[in-house]
Amino acid sequence: MQNITLSSNHLKLLFVSTPVGGLGTGLGGGVELSLYNIAKYFLEQGHTLQIVAPEGSLWDKAKFNIVEIPGNLQIIAQSQERDTPVTMPENSLLANMWEYTRSCQHEYDLIVNFAYDWLPFYLTPFFQTPIAHFVSMGSLSNALDLAIAQVSKSYPGTIGFYTPSQGATFTNLTPPLYYLSSGIDLSLYEFCAQPKEQLACLGRISPEKGLEDALAVAAQTNIPLKIMGKMQDEAYWQKIINDYPKAPVEYLGFLSTDKMQQVVRECKALLMTPKWVEAFGNVAIEALACGVPVISYARGGPAEIIQDGKTGFLVEPDSVAGLVDAVTLLDSIDRYECRKQAEIEFSLSANGARFLQWFEDILR
Ligand code: UDP
C-alpha cells in the first residue's frame, strides 16, 4: 500500500454517477457501493461534494447533496456485444446528466465520472474543468476501449481502475494509470467466528457472474447456498435453477448492506464464480470484513484480493471440482485473518487516501 500524506486542501468535487440505474437500486452493481464509500469519505473530510444521479435514487439526498436527473436509463454494457455501436435512448439520462454537469462545471475543481459509457470520455476535451474517469469494469466494448485510450493519451493520469488485472484487459493505454482498489465502512460489518453450515453468493443475478457453478457446488456438497443480489436477468435465473433442481438454494432478494451482512457473516464461505474478468469484487471485501473466507476462480480482482490458503482459496478458473475441494478445506482458515485483511487493506480511510492522491495528482 502507498504511503500518502494527506493534504489540507479543500476540494470542490462533482461526482457523476452511472446512468444504468438509481443509486441504491442495485442496478449499478459494485460501483454504487464504491461511489457511496468514496463520497462518504470526502464529505467526512470536509470537502465540498455534489452527486449527479438518476431520478429515483434512494440514498439520503440531503446528506449526499444529490441532484436527480430525469431521462431514460442507459442499457448495460454487459448485455451488448463487443462491436455493438454506441446507442442512447431518446431523452437519454446519460446525456442529461452530462448536460447538467457541463452547465455547473465551473463551480467545481474536479469532475469524477463513474459511468462505464462512451459519452463522458468523448466529451472530455469539450470541458474546461478536468475530469477523472473511474472505470468500473474490464474491457467489454471496442468503441469504449478506443475512447478510454484516447483520453489516457490526451489527459494522462485521469484514468483510474480498481485493479491492475482489470486495467490489463484494455489496450493502447498511456500511463500513468491509477489502481485504486476499494474500501468499505468496516463498522457496518460484524465479525462472526462460528458460522452455520451454509455458503453465500452475492451480486447481480446475471450470466457473467457464473452462478450456475455455485449451484453445482451446492448440489454436489448438499451445503445450503444463500443467494442475495439484484435480479437482472430473470430468464438466466430460471434456466440455472431448472438445471440444478436438487441444489439446496435460497434466493433472498436484493438486501440492504446491513441485512446482507447478517446473512453472509453466518456463512462458511462466499463463493465467487464469475465468467468474466471481475474488475474488483466488492462482495469479496464485504465477506472478509465479516470474517468470511472467499473461494473464487483465480482471475481478475478476486485473485488480487484473496490470500490463497489464508483468507480463502483461489481455484483454477471454471473448475467446479476445484471449488468443491476448496469447500472441504475451509476449516483450515482462521476467520480472524479475514477480518484483519479487510481492516488493513480495505478501510474507508485507506481507500479515500488513494482517491485523494489521484485527485491531487490530476489537479497538480
Ligand atoms: N449487494 C447488495 N445487496 C445484496 C447483494 C449485493 O447491496 O443483496 C451489493 C454488494 O454490496 C456489492 C454489489 O451489490 O456492492 C455487487 O458488486 P460487485 O463489485 O461484487 O460486482 P458488480 O455488480 O459490480 O459486477
Side-chain angles (χ1 to χ4, degrees):
M1 193 148 302
Q2 285 165 282
N3 242 340
I4 289 162
T5 320
L6 292 183
S7 126
S8 56
N9 283 345
H10 174 265
L11 297 178
K12 286 181 270 170
L13 302 165
L14 185 60
F15 285 8
V16 192
S17 184
T18 167
V20 302
L23 287 168
T25 64
L27 288 166
V31 76
E32 286 185 34
L33 185 71
S34 293
L35 204 168
Y36 183 91
N37 285 321
I38 301 157
K40 191 162 186 272
Y41 173 83
F42 279 93
L43 285 169
E44 280 173 7
Q45 296 295 313
H47 299 282
T48 299
L49 180 75
Q50 182 169 62
I51 301 179
V52 184
E55 199 171 58
S57 288
L58 305 172
W59 294 2
D60 183 331
K61 292 180 187 80
K63 180 175 164 194
F64 285 98
N65 196 16
I66 290 177
V67 55
E68 288 193 288
I69 306 290
N72 290 312
L73 296 179
Q74 189 69 13
I75 190 162
I76 56 170
Q78 303 95 294
S79 67
Q80 312 274 74
E81 301 298 326
R82 284 205 72 80
D83 56 358
T84 305
V86 173
T87 56
M88 284 189 290
E90 62 180 88
N91 187 25
S92 157
L93 169 64
L94 175 62
N96 295 346
M97 287 168 79
W98 282 85
E99 171 53 25
Y100 174 84
T101 302
R102 186 198 62 77
S103 70
C104 63
Q105 61 175 313
H106 297 298
E107 295 166 34
Y108 297 93
D109 301 316
L110 183 69
I111 297 163
V112 187
N113 167 38
F114 290 87
Y116 187 90
D117 289 284
W118 175 86
L119 186 70
F121 292 90
Y122 172 75
L123 288 176
T124 301
F126 300 100
F127 275 68
Q128 283 91 48
T129 301
I131 305 177
H133 296 274
F134 182 63
V135 181
S136 63
M137 291 187 277
S139 162
L140 294 171
S141 148
N142 294 340
L144 180 57
D145 284 15
L146 192 60
I148 293 175
Q150 280 168 349
V151 169
S152 78
K153 188 165 176 228
S154 306
Y155 303 93
T158 63
I159 305 292
F161 295 108
Y162 278 113
T163 57
S165 52
Q166 174 203 2
T169 64
F170 294 88
T171 50
N172 298 321
L173 297 175
T174 306
L177 302 167
Y178 283 72
Y179 302 109
L180 298 147
S181 186
S182 192
I184 50 177
D185 181 349
L186 290 152
S187 69
L188 303 180
Y189 302 83
E190 201 177 307
F191 176 76
C192 170
Q194 302 291 340
K196 295 180 183 157
E197 190 69 7
Q198 61 190 34
L199 300 167
C201 257
L202 295 174
R204 294 173 293 105
I205 313 296
S206 191
E208 69 274 11
K209 295 292 181 180
L211 266 178
E212 59 274 23
D213 291 4
L215 263 60
V217 172
Q220 284 185 37
T221 61
N222 210 29
I223 300 177
L225 177 66
K226 308 281 177 193
I227 300 180
M228 290 148 273
K230 190 78 189 172
M231 183 61 68
Q232 213 161 36
D233 190 332
E234 183 78 45
Y236 163 71
W237 171 248
Q238 287 306 331
K239 181 185 179 315
I240 62 172
I241 51 168
N242 288 339
D243 287 348
Y244 295 96
K246 294 219 172 79
V249 170
E250 192 183 0
Y251 173 58
L252 304 175
F254 178 71
L255 305 184
S256 67
T257 297
D258 183 48
K259 292 222 164 65
M260 185 187 81
Q261 65 88 33
Q262 286 178 33
V263 179
V264 175
R265 72 186 186 220
E266 295 193 326
C267 292
K268 287 195 80 171
L270 173 74
L271 296 182
M272 293 184 76
T273 53
K275 296 291 166 183
W276 68 349
V277 175
E278 191 75 57
F280 185 77
N282 270 328
V283 296
I285 62 174
E286 296 182 274
L288 291 176
C290 299
V292 176
V294 184
I295 299 175
S296 171
Y297 291 143
R299 69 176 154 224
E304 294 185 34
I305 299 169
I306 298 158
Q307 297 170 356
D308 191 25
K310 194 172 174 192
T311 61
F313 294 100
L314 291 169
V315 170
E316 184 195 332
D318 308 315
S319 166
V320 171
L323 298 170
V324 171
D325 282 350
V327 169
T328 65
L329 298 173
L330 280 170
D331 288 342
S332 67
I333 300 278
D334 177 353
R335 290 169 70 97
Y336 287 100
E337 289 295 337
C338 300
R339 172 75 192 189
K340 204 161 92 188
Q341 189 192 356
E343 283 174 1
I344 294 169
E345 294 180 33
F346 305 114
S347 68
L348 217 51
S349 56
N351 188 46
R354 290 188 287 267
F355 271 83
L356 179 61
Q357 178 75 71
W358 181 35
F359 295 166
E360 289 188 338
D361 287 353
I362 291 173
L363 294 173
R364 212 171 283 134

